[in-house]
Amino acid sequence: MKVTVKKKENYVPVIIGTEFIKLEAALKFANAVESGGMAKTVIQSEEVLVNGEICTMRGKKLYPGDVFSFNGQSYLISIHAAV
């Protein structure tokens, strides 16, 4: 019997109250970077993944369910549920 172990991803939730958030804003909102200038730099330096692929578009729209990764941490875009 062969057993496969999958590493469970530990996502940091990024809760948004809008339909989408742009990648550059998401990095700042999640406190993954300190400033918009730093966000621009790391995106253009191909250091950010969106849904597992390198993304160099600062204005890339992220919707609930999308995952972006930077500096060894993954962030899951989630929408604020109405109470």
Side-chain angles (χ1 to χ4, degrees), residues 14-65:
V14 178
I15 310 296
I16 61 173
T18 56
E19 181 182 355
F20 65 86
I21 187 169
K22 292 184 179 180
L23 178 58
E24 182 177 36
L27 281 163
K28 293 188 299 184
F29 188 66
N31 291 320
V33 295
E34 295 178 10
S35 67
M38 185 175 178
K40 176 181 176 181
T41 300
V42 299
I43 293 168
Q44 290 179 337
S45 298
E46 299 183 350
E47 296 178 45
V48 180
L49 301 177
V50 174
N51 297 326
E53 297 184 10
I54 293 172
C55 182
T56 57
M57 299 183 299
R58 292 183 312 173
K60 170 77 174 165
K61 292 179 181 177
L62 303 178
Y63 294 91

Side-chain angles (χ1 to χ4, degrees), residues 3-15:
V3 176
T4 304
V5 177
K6 290 179 110 178
K7 179 183 173 191
K8 183 178 179 186
E9 288 288 336
N10 290 322
Y11 299 118
V12 173
V14 178
I15 310 296

